[in-house]
Amino acid sequence: MEAAAELALRLRAAANDRLARYEPLALVAAPLLALLVARTLHATASAVADRGLVAIAIAAVKLLPGVSGYIAAEKKKVVDKMQSGGAKNNRRAELPTIGLAEQVIEELETLKAKDVDWQGKCSGTVYIAGSESEGHFQLINKAYSMFSHTNPLHQDVFKSVANMEAEVVAMTAALLGSKEKSSGGQICGNMTSGGTESILLAVKTSRDYMRSKKGITRPEMIIAESAHSAYDKAAQYFNIKVRRVPVNKEFLADVKGFKRCINGNTIMMVGSTPGFPHGLIDPIEELGELASRYDICLHVDLCLGGFVLPFAHKLGYPIPPFDFSVKGVTSISSDVHKYGLAPKGTSIVLYRNHEIRKHQFVAVTEWTGGLYVSPTIAGSRPGGLIAGAWAAMMSLGLNGYLDSTSRIMDVSKKIQRGIGEIPGLFVIGKPDMTVVAFGSDVVDIFEVNDIMSSKGWHLNALQRPNR
């Protein structure tokens, strides 16, 4: 004991002797400076982990005076256009003194004539071929008009619409694994106004479910940089931190990168099937294994592929597992108004069980107007759209969707082959479905897009098409 005390005294004396040569201010400042450097390094490392080096480099470039000014000006143009609602010429600002009565139809026809000729030349815009006044288009329009006055908020009045919604949800769930034993047999969900609302609800529900289950109050979600921007919108709406992971060399979600981002605040991961930019299916099985191991939610974005991949699989295409048959998948979003060929404004959000979905609902019991329970973001909802979706699915049936999928998959492969035969162009990745992204190392691909736009083709330009 004495020896230890003597050793401590000697060490203290040696330390004092060595530090005596420094100014007291330097001795105080040194550890503070070291702490500042450590915090800076930690913040830098966290930023790299959260956003990746490429995103940080782009953010740094945006800070340059010329670049930041240009971006701000372009952003202002878009915002001003959105706030103005489009062209200002001859826009009405007041009700007509005398109503137009039937003449209003002529006005509508005049306005419609100014739209772009979209048939066959607008990517990701209209999914139903032909004229609105014939065939499948006419059928779903008639179904909508029959129920345009209905509102599923009032289920006691419009029982027909409530029943149709339940059937659309059940039929969609059956396409996405609800009949598989591994699904658990409790798949449930609701119709929404579109893919973005389905995504918003899935994120909100996952947040509240994980808060109830694990007590997470500072939620984070992990997405690939190819994931749809709706997840950023959800993060802003619901105060969730986004950890964005760069895609791998195949332009797919990087499972190892996802794993590195998982921590005690992680509530969910997102996989796309396919991703909107490149048309590629993320490795859902591997993400499902991660979700199961760390007991977190996994949302599968099938907004684009929900009414193609199940049928492509039946047709013999090599489609990897993507639905509720995969262990770990807790929710799925699937748009009926895309390849489901339903009217615009129809999507489905599905959950593995009722325990998860109950966190989607909002129930107000103290309102003077009575008990208010709403399953989706909207209160009142257009029953006509539900009827249109039901009519689309029932009129086409399994054989109709198989035929439609066969034809569009054939066209997709034809486009891929055609691009491959054009010198200087290449297809990005190996598209699994109907989205074909292409780039070039020889010509400016954005100029190619501009030229095609001048010829009436409206394609989707990617921000970084080759990366």
Side-chain angles (χ1 to χ4, degrees):
M1 205 60 187
E2 291 181 3
E6 185 178 347
L7 176 61
L9 289 172
R10 282 204 302 267
L11 290 173
R12 187 178 70 174
N16 287 335
D17 182 57
R18 175 153 304 193
L19 294 173
R21 71 189 72 174
Y22 297 104
E23 290 286 337
L25 181 60
L27 293 176
V28 173
L32 295 177
L33 181 61
L35 179 62
L36 178 62
V37 171
R39 288 180 65 87
T40 301
L41 291 173
H42 180 267
T44 302
S46 297
V48 171
D50 286 350
R51 304 176 61 187
L53 287 172
V54 173
I56 292 175
I58 292 174
V61 171
K62 289 180 179 179
L63 294 176
L64 297 175
V67 177
S68 61
Y70 175 77
I71 293 175
E74 291 299 309
K75 183 177 179 181
K76 186 176 185 301
K77 288 180 184 178
V78 175
V79 172
D80 288 346
K81 185 176 180 180
M82 292 177 68
Q83 290 180 338
S84 67
K88 295 182 179 180
N89 295 337
N90 301 319
R91 183 190 301 156
R92 299 180 188 278
E94 296 179 352
L95 285 169
T97 303
I98 301 175
L100 300 180
E102 292 295 321
Q103 185 185 342
V104 74
I105 300 299
E106 295 178 16
E107 293 279 325
L108 288 171
E109 289 174 346
T110 301
L111 291 171
K112 184 181 178 183
K114 298 176 183 178
D115 289 344
V116 169
D117 182 15
W118 51 264
Q119 275 90 347
K121 289 190 174 183
C122 291
S123 174
T125 306
V126 180
Y127 291 78
I128 305 173
S131 167
E132 303 97 311
S133 60
E134 59 186 22
H136 184 78
F137 238 138
Q138 183 183 42
L139 183 146
I140 62 172
N141 285 343
K142 183 176 181 179
Y144 177 89
S145 65
M146 288 175 64
F147 291 86
S148 61
H149 61 288
T150 64
N151 181 358
L153 183 65
H154 304 287
Q155 294 190 19
D156 56 331
V157 178
F158 303 114
K159 297 177 182 179
S160 58
V161 174
N163 184 67
M164 282 188 283
E165 177 176 14
E167 291 189 356
V168 169
V169 170
M171 289 188 287
T172 304
L175 295 175
L176 302 177
S178 70
K179 301 300 183 182
E180 300 294 328
K181 186 176 181 180
S182 56
S183 74
Q186 294 188 41
I187 308 303
C188 52
N190 290 91
M191 289 191 69
T192 71
S193 62
T196 293
E197 186 184 359
S198 290
I199 288 169
L200 289 173
L201 287 171
V203 172
K204 183 265 183 192
T205 302
S206 298
R207 182 199 66 175
D208 293 356
Y209 172 63
M210 293 301 288
R211 181 170 57 199
S212 171
K213 185 177 182 180
K214 288 188 173 183
I216 296 175
T217 57
R218 301 178 65 184
E220 300 181 6
M221 67 175 168
I222 305 169
I223 66 174
E225 61 181 11
S226 56
H228 198 279
S229 296
Y231 296 97
D232 294 279
K233 178 184 282 189
Q236 292 182 34
Y237 279 10
F238 305 128
N239 195 26
I240 298 171
K241 181 177 180 179
V242 175
R243 289 188 177 269
R244 185 175 283 99
V245 180
V247 293
N248 61 22
K249 293 180 180 179
E250 287 75 41
F251 297 91
L252 302 174
D254 182 359
V255 178
K256 291 182 179 178
F258 272 49
K259 182 179 179 181
R260 286 193 293 270
C261 289
I262 295 175
N263 59 43
N265 289 322
T266 303
I267 59 167
M268 69 184 297
M269 301 182 296
V270 173
S272 302
T273 54
F276 179 82
H278 307 115
L280 308 175
I281 297 176
D282 286 334
I284 302 303
E285 278 192 309
E286 295 177 58
L287 292 176
E289 290 176 7
L290 266 187
S292 297
R293 186 187 315 167
Y294 291 94
D295 195 20
I296 56 179
C297 294
L298 172 60
H299 178 75
V300 177
D301 189 340
L302 269 157
C303 288
L304 193 57
F307 282 82
V308 174
L309 295 181
F311 306 110
H313 176 70
K314 288 181 181 293
L315 291 169
Y317 285 93
I319 306 297
F322 58 88
D323 56 20
F324 283 114
S325 64
V326 177
K327 182 181 178 182
V329 173
T330 52
S331 59
I332 287 177
S333 51
S334 178
D335 288 359
V336 200
H337 66 204
K338 290 188 173 72
Y339 292 107
L341 307 183
K344 282 295 181 185
T346 51
S347 179
I348 306 289
V349 59
L350 298 170
Y351 300 97
R352 183 169 286 274
N353 55 50
H354 298 279
E355 178 61 26
I356 299 174
R357 186 179 67 150
K358 74 178 185 181
H359 295 278
Q360 174 184 293
F361 298 163
V362 171
V364 180
T365 59
E366 311 264 334
W367 182 39
T368 53
L371 178 64
Y372 179 88
V373 180
S374 177
T376 60
I377 291 175
S380 292
R381 293 184 290 151
L385 290 177
I386 294 173
W390 186 88
M393 296 177 71
M394 293 294 289
S395 67
L396 289 167
L398 177 61
N399 287 342
Y401 282 118
L402 285 171
D403 178 63
S404 173
T405 300
S406 177
R407 286 185 286 131
I408 61 178
M409 291 293 282
D410 285 346
V411 171
S412 174
K413 300 306 177 186
K414 184 177 181 180
I415 291 173
Q416 291 179 51
R417 290 193 297 270
I419 292 171
E421 293 170 359
I422 299 175
L425 297 184
F426 58 84
V427 174
I428 298 174
K430 298 178 180 179
D432 294 296
M433 209 184 82
T434 55
V435 175
V436 181
F438 60 96
S440 175
D441 291 327
V442 180
V443 298
D444 186 338
I445 200 66
F446 296 108
E447 289 188 13
V448 174
N449 184 57
D450 290 342
I451 293 171
M452 292 191 71
S453 295
S454 70
K455 296 179 180 296
W457 293 89
H458 297 268
L459 307 182
N460 295 296
L462 304 180
Q463 186 171 184
R464 298 188 296 277
N466 298 347
R467 291 182 292 168

